[in-house]
């Protein structure tokens, strides 16, 4: 049986700011650009009590918390602290899979100290993180990535939660469907209409029905609710892209609604770029009309794509250039690729690529 740990630094950017600036401690704090188009990157736990969340427009955050303090991100500092934390991980295992600057999976089955208890390893890692960085982390421990990830959210902030194999099915049965990895708000709404609110109700749905409704994801939900996740922890590799996408509950016909959805996807993408410290110069739009085909269109530019101002105009242009012919849209996604440290000469000009990929959902 594998021993998997998921570690999530608590309110990472905000916590670093509160550590380095005593005047920010114990007050509602948000990291982000304080302007009319600014977005919250990370909110402190004091701010979260007022409903301030990541990816929320700064203006909305201020309405929810009028006394909110906002500070600009210091990515160089966050990357340095993240490096310190990863060095601690590698003291125990080389099987470390970073998901972002503040989050990672560790496979400690065959760890460097020959320790039998994954809980003991997790406790030591948390203690070392605090000792060396004065920051806290929440940790989940289980036998696969799905359960370890879910577990790390159960005792936030600054806690540990363990799901052992013999208790996994009972734990999953009581898990709200919104807690399942991969179930977003729209998927949760669909499940609610199907009478699925907890794991035990999801487990009662056949694989055939789940795949009919959710496509490939149906198999994933079917496995997860049975405690099955065969994905391995993949050691750190150079990230080639960062992206996000949204499958709509109902197909969108309106151009105005499509632009609104595109805007929200851009905000999500900017947040992920910031969290991962990724810099790229190619933007790809993915658009799906039906269950059997998808269309992609890309543009590569000279400048690094970091902000909403960088990305949104290009995203609108890509959307306009797609040959929709009045067809309704069921999925929309954006990806930034071509890492900035790649010195290929095609960055000197805009490069348009277009293609359609047939596949079964």
């Amino acid at each position: 049986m594998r021993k998997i740990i998921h570690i999530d630094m608590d309110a990472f950017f905000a916590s670093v700011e509160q550590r380095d600036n005593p005047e920010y401690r114990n007050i509602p704090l948000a990291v982000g650009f304080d302007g009319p188009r600014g977005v919250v990157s990370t909110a402190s736990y004091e701010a979260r009590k007022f409903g301030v969340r990541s990816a929320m427009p700064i203006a909305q955050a201020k309405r929810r918390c009028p006394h909110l303090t906002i500070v600009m991100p210091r990515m160089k500092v966050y990357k340095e602290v993240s490096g310190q934390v990863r060095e601690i991980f590698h003291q125990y295992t080389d099987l470390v899979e970073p998901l972002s600057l503040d989050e990672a999976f560790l496979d400690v089955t065959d760890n460097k100290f020959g320790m039998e208890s994954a809980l003991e390893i997790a406790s030591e890692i948390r203690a070392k993180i605090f000792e060396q960085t004065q920051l806290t982390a929440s940790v989940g421990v289980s036998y696969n990535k799905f359960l370890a990830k879910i577990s790390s959210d159960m005792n936030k902030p600054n806690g540990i939660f363990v799901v052992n194999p013999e208790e996994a099915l009972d734990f999953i049965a009581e898990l709200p469907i919104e807690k399942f990895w991969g179930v977003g708000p729209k998927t949760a709404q669909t499940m609610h209409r199907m009478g699925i609110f907890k794991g035990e109700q999801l487990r009662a749905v056949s694989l055939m029905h789940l795949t009919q409704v959710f496509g490939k994801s149906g198999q994933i939900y079917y496995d997860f609710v049975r405690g099955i996740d065969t994905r391995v922890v993949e050691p750190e590799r150079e990230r080639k892209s960062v992206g996000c996408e949204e499958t709509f509950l109902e197909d969108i016909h309106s151009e105005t609604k499509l632009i609104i959805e595109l805007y929200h996807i851009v905000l999500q993408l900017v947040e992920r770029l910031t969290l991962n410290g990724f810099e790229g110069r190619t933007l790809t739009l993915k658009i799906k009309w039906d269950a059997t085909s998808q269309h992609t269109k890309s543009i590569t530019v000279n400048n690094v794509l970091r902000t909403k101002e960088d990305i949104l105009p290009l995203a609108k242009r890509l959307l306009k250039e797609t040959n929709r012919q009045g067809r309704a849209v069921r999925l929309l996604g954006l990806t930034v690729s071509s890492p900035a440290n790649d010195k290929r000469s095609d960055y000197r000009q805009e490069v348009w690529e277009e293609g359609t990929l047939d596949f079964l959902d």
Side-chain angles (χ1 to χ4, degrees):
M1 190 71 69
R2 308 304 295 174
K3 299 173 185 177
I4 308 298
I5 296 174
H6 179 261
I7 299 180
D8 191 2
M9 300 297 293
D10 296 321
F12 184 48
F13 293 0
S15 295
V16 171
E17 297 301 333
Q18 290 180 318
R19 179 197 69 176
D20 295 348
N21 302 277
E23 67 272 21
Y24 295 154
R25 295 172 190 170
N26 303 314
I27 66 169
L29 180 77
V31 177
F33 172 64
D34 188 6
R37 298 183 178 182
V39 176
V40 175
S41 177
T42 308
S44 70
Y45 283 96
E46 295 86 356
R48 295 180 189 189
K49 294 177 181 178
F50 293 87
V52 178
R53 294 289 184 270
S54 298
M56 177 180 288
I58 290 290
Q60 182 180 351
K62 286 181 175 179
R63 288 195 295 271
R64 294 195 176 190
C65 182
H67 54 296
L68 182 68
T69 297
I70 302 166
V71 298
M72 287 290 290
R74 296 184 296 154
M75 290 307 304
K76 182 178 179 180
V77 176
Y78 308 148
K79 289 179 181 179
E80 289 174 352
V81 177
S82 178
Q84 286 182 271
V85 173
R86 291 184 188 181
E87 286 181 6
I88 296 172
F89 298 162
H90 282 281
Q91 291 175 17
Y92 291 84
T93 178
D94 290 327
L95 295 178
V96 177
E97 180 182 345
L99 302 180
S100 62
L101 289 178
D102 61 343
E103 186 180 5
F105 284 111
L106 286 70
D107 186 332
V108 297
T109 310
D110 301 310
N111 59 84
K112 295 180 180 180
F113 296 101
M115 299 169 67
E116 290 294 326
S117 171
L119 175 58
E120 183 180 353
I121 294 173
S123 299
E124 283 193 11
I125 289 175
R126 285 178 67 247
K128 286 186 178 181
I129 289 173
F130 185 76
E131 178 185 352
Q132 296 183 26
T133 70
Q134 293 76 57
L135 299 173
T136 63
S138 296
V139 181
V141 180
S142 196
Y143 62 90
N144 64 35
K145 294 170 84 171
F146 165 64
L147 287 168
K149 169 74 172 176
I150 296 296
S151 300
S152 66
D153 287 331
M154 301 303 294
N155 262 340
K156 276 184 167 291
N158 195 25
I160 297 182
F161 194 87
V162 180
V163 177
N164 293 312
E166 61 271 17
E167 61 193 16
L169 291 181
D170 290 339
F171 170 76
I172 296 170
E174 295 301 315
L175 196 67
I177 205 65
E178 291 83 0
K179 294 285 187 181
F180 275 68
W181 199 4
V183 175
K186 295 185 184 300
T187 299
Q189 289 177 18
T190 302
M191 289 189 175
H192 290 169
R193 289 200 297 269
M194 296 168 63
I196 301 171
F197 295 88
K198 295 194 301 183
E200 62 179 350
Q201 295 156 338
L202 177 61
R203 197 177 296 158
V205 182
S206 71
L207 175 60
M208 179 180 294
H209 193 184
L210 288 174
T211 52
Q212 286 174 343
V213 177
F214 302 108
K216 291 180 180 178
S217 296
Q219 178 72 64
I220 296 173
Y221 302 146
Y222 184 87
D223 288 343
F224 279 180
V225 79
R226 288 163 175 77
I228 300 169
D229 182 5
T230 59
R231 295 170 301 159
V232 299
V233 173
E234 299 182 5
E236 184 173 6
R237 296 175 297 178
E238 182 183 359
R239 181 178 286 273
K240 300 296 184 182
S241 65
V242 171
C244 52
E245 62 184 42
E246 185 71 31
T247 300
F248 307 121
L249 192 60
E250 297 179 356
D251 291 356
I252 295 179
H253 293 79
S254 166
E255 193 73 23
T256 300
K257 289 183 179 179
L258 203 56
I259 292 295
I260 292 172
E261 293 294 343
L262 185 69
Y263 175 84
H264 289 301
I265 293 171
V266 168
L267 295 184
Q268 294 176 37
L269 179 58
V270 168
E271 180 192 7
R272 293 189 183 185
L273 290 170
T274 302
L275 286 174
N276 287 280
F278 183 82
E279 295 183 340
R281 296 175 176 174
T282 295
L283 181 68
T284 299
L285 173 77
K286 174 182 174 182
I287 189 166
K288 185 174 177 181
W289 326 116
D290 51 45
T292 61
S293 65
Q294 72 181 25
H295 181 95
T296 61
K297 196 171 184 66
S298 301
I299 181 172
T300 299
V301 295
N302 281 322
N303 58 293
V304 170
L305 301 173
R306 292 190 184 95
T307 68
K308 182 182 70 176
E309 289 71 25
D310 296 329
I311 297 170
L312 185 58
L314 294 177
K316 288 181 177 179
R317 181 176 174 184
L318 289 172
L319 181 63
K320 185 177 180 180
E321 292 289 331
T322 56
N323 187 22
R324 285 209 296 131
Q325 297 179 335
R327 287 176 290 187
V329 175
R330 66 178 298 179
L331 177 147
L332 203 60
L334 289 171
T335 299
V336 171
S337 58
S338 300
N341 58 5
D342 188 336
K343 302 301 183 182
R344 292 179 302 169
S345 60
D346 61 6
Y347 292 152
R348 298 173 185 170
Q349 59 181 343
E350 294 182 355
V351 178
W352 291 87
E353 299 173 352
E354 188 172 356
T356 301
L357 172 66
D358 292 330
F359 66 103
L360 294 178
D361 196 1

